[in-house]
Amino acid sequence: MTTIANIVDAVAAPYTVWHTLRGIEPEMQGARPHFVAGNASVTFRVRHNGERKILKCYTRTNPHLAAIYGNEFHPRELCIVDIVGRKVWIDCLLTPYIEGVTLDEALCSAKSGEELKALASAFDAFARQLLTMERAHGDLKPENLIVTPSGKIKAIDWDAAFLPSFAGEPAPEIGTAAYQHPLRSIDIFDKHIDDYSIAFLSVFLHFAAIDNATLEHFRKYHEPLLSPREILRGRVNELERICELFAQQGMAREYRLAQMLRSAQPRLFNLQSIFLPAITSSAYSAEEDSAPYLDVANGYWGCRDNERWLIEPLFDNGYEPSDGVMLTELGGYMHFVDFTGRIVKSFPLSTRVKPMRNGETTAHYANGEQECIKAADLLQSFDK
């Protein structure tokens, strides 16, 4: 039987026996190598021919590793002596070291809401890229995501990844429960294994950026307050709190993703239509011939011209745009949105307000107060 201690002893030994690798020097912590033990592996920071890398030594075999990692995977590479004195060759993985900190660490050290919003945006950018790839990760969680010095997020530990060549096989593992749909099983092994984790992590990160209680709970327990298992059991008070605040702030994409967390199935087939931006890179210009107009896609409302979406179709309701803004509704809250998708004015529940007419409108609040609102003032104040 191979133990963690056997592997650590072998890597630390001055005359370690390697099959093909040479020049491996572990980073030491006192007299012992610095390592992290997982369910099926032990991971070391090492120098390989002077270059900093990550060495992962496996305590059990995984038939997918060669296909996932290519030349970085080294089967039967390290010779160890097990607890009964037998020599055993174990599989190893040697990959480049990614500079940065884990998303877990970044969340715990963030000093401002802007830093937290940047982390949420960086995750969304990573997730959009992942959704367009043929492979899936299989175990997305903050500990498996590295925030680089440039602010980008990269994934590590692809051991549970799905590749098209694995179609029809059972999954080698089902990910970490805190970030997975409770009904995910080894029988679900396809491109959709990351769907729920992507939606969950995006919702969690965006909410942590605007809700201090969510952030403090994660910093204390290192897992989200929101629980996939509790959601599936019908205990949705926390999810409803999240949806309410997203709707109040006009965070339409995040609101839609939060609603998807109620799914009875792990596969979220509409995830790409919600998650991937509908807006093209070209910006709207008031001098263009085509006037913006209200339109609907997948049952949600937005604003577009003849070539592109200006306001993504993510709102419950919308009204014909005019004077550079469109009145929208999300979860019972009314918002004016400009043609870059920015919320320029939000209203409390039960506010009665109509679209702009000749550049102005009147909001009637539940307490009886009224407010005259001018489109020019909204756009000018937001641009200052």
Side-chain angles (χ1 to χ4, degrees):
M1 177 181 177
T2 301
T3 68
I4 293 172
N6 298 148
I7 295 174
V8 174
D9 288 343
V11 172
Y15 302 105
T16 304
V17 180
W18 303 92
H19 185 210
T20 62
L21 293 174
R22 301 292 183 269
I24 299 290
E25 300 176 11
E27 292 187 4
M28 305 299 286
Q29 193 171 44
R32 303 285 285 170
H34 180 276
F35 70 92
V36 176
N39 289 332
S41 63
V42 187
T43 302
F44 303 86
R45 294 178 184 176
V46 301
R47 293 279 177 178
H48 177 230
N49 296 327
E51 184 179 350
R52 200 176 190 192
K53 293 189 177 182
I54 294 295
L55 173 70
K56 194 171 185 179
C57 303
Y58 291 90
T59 57
R60 60 173 181 259
T61 59
N62 178 339
H64 293 158
L65 296 179
I68 294 170
Y69 293 110
N71 293 334
E72 294 176 340
F73 177 64
H74 301 268
R76 295 174 54 81
E77 178 61 41
L78 175 63
C79 182
I80 68 168
V81 179
D82 68 13
I83 58 176
V84 296
R86 293 175 303 186
K87 292 182 178 179
V88 179
W89 291 92
I90 63 170
D91 299 338
C92 293
L93 181 70
L94 188 65
T95 58
Y97 178 80
I98 300 175
E99 291 288 345
V101 298
T102 65
L103 180 56
D104 177 274
E105 294 172 308
L107 284 167
C108 291
S109 64
K111 298 295 191 297
S112 68
E114 291 306 312
E115 285 185 62
L116 293 164
K117 289 177 182 178
L119 291 175
S121 296
F123 174 79
D124 287 353
F126 158 79
R128 284 192 289 270
Q129 183 181 28
L130 182 60
L131 284 170
T132 60
M133 296 169 61
E134 288 187 334
R135 66 171 55 197
H137 185 275
D139 191 18
L140 292 178
K141 57 182 177 180
E143 297 90 334
N144 282 344
L145 297 168
I146 301 295
V147 183
T148 68
S150 67
K152 294 183 178 180
I153 286 182
K154 297 184 178 182
I156 58 173
D157 192 359
W158 290 78
D159 292 2
F162 169 80
L163 274 61
S165 58
F166 302 159
E169 299 181 27
E173 48 186 282
I174 57 173
T176 303
Y179 304 94
Q180 298 290 336
H181 193 285
L183 296 185
R184 183 182 167 189
S185 68
I186 62 171
D187 296 324
I188 298 175
F189 194 41
D190 56 23
K191 175 57 184 167
H192 291 282
I193 57 175
D194 291 330
D195 286 1
Y196 197 87
S197 299
I198 287 173
F200 186 92
L201 280 164
S202 183
V203 167
F204 162 65
L205 291 169
H206 283 281
F207 197 63
I210 60 175
D211 183 75
N212 190 62
T214 293
L215 180 62
E216 290 306 314
H217 183 277
F218 182 84
R219 286 176 169 175
K220 184 176 180 180
Y221 298 103
H222 289 272
E223 67 177 34
L225 179 59
L226 186 66
S227 165
R229 292 190 182 278
E230 293 297 290
I231 294 172
L232 199 65
R233 290 168 181 163
R235 300 169 186 168
V236 294
N237 288 346
E238 179 64 11
L239 182 59
E240 289 176 349
R241 186 173 77 91
I242 290 171
C243 289
E244 177 79 7
L245 192 52
F246 282 161
Q248 183 180 345
Q249 298 202 11
M251 299 171 67
R253 185 190 308 282
E254 293 77 15
Y255 180 81
R256 293 291 164 225
L257 292 172
Q259 288 186 320
M260 297 181 83
L261 298 182
R262 297 176 182 264
S263 172
Q265 299 298 325
R267 297 181 177 96
L268 305 180
F269 292 109
N270 293 328
L271 182 64
Q272 287 204 20
S273 67
I274 298 297
F275 204 91
L276 297 181
I279 298 177
T280 63
S281 57
S282 54
Y284 172 74
S285 170
E287 287 74 32
E288 294 182 14
D289 294 334
S290 58
Y293 58 90
L294 178 70
D295 203 357
V296 63
N298 301 312
Y300 303 127
W301 295 90
C303 170
R304 62 172 301 135
D305 61 13
N306 291 338
E307 297 182 359
R308 59 204 180 279
W309 288 99
L310 306 172
I311 299 172
E312 293 190 68
L314 295 169
F315 291 90
D316 296 334
N317 202 355
Y319 301 85
E320 284 294 343
S322 64
D323 302 287
V325 296
M326 186 177 87
L327 182 64
T328 64
E329 183 177 354
L330 186 68
Y333 290 88
M334 308 298 291
H335 306 275
F336 275 113
V337 188
D338 73 7
F339 294 159
T340 67
R342 301 176 301 186
I343 305 295
V344 294
K345 179 73 173 178
S346 297
F347 301 93
L349 280 177
S350 303
T351 301
R352 292 184 292 110
V353 61
K354 293 182 179 180
M356 294 288 174
R357 184 174 182 180
N358 297 323
E360 63 181 49
T361 188
T362 301
H364 301 266
Y365 295 102
N367 62 3
E369 294 182 359
Q370 297 183 15
E371 181 186 10
C372 180
I373 301 168
K374 296 183 178 181
D377 291 341
L378 295 182
L379 298 174
Q380 184 178 16
S381 63
F382 197 89
D383 288 334
K384 283 183 179 179

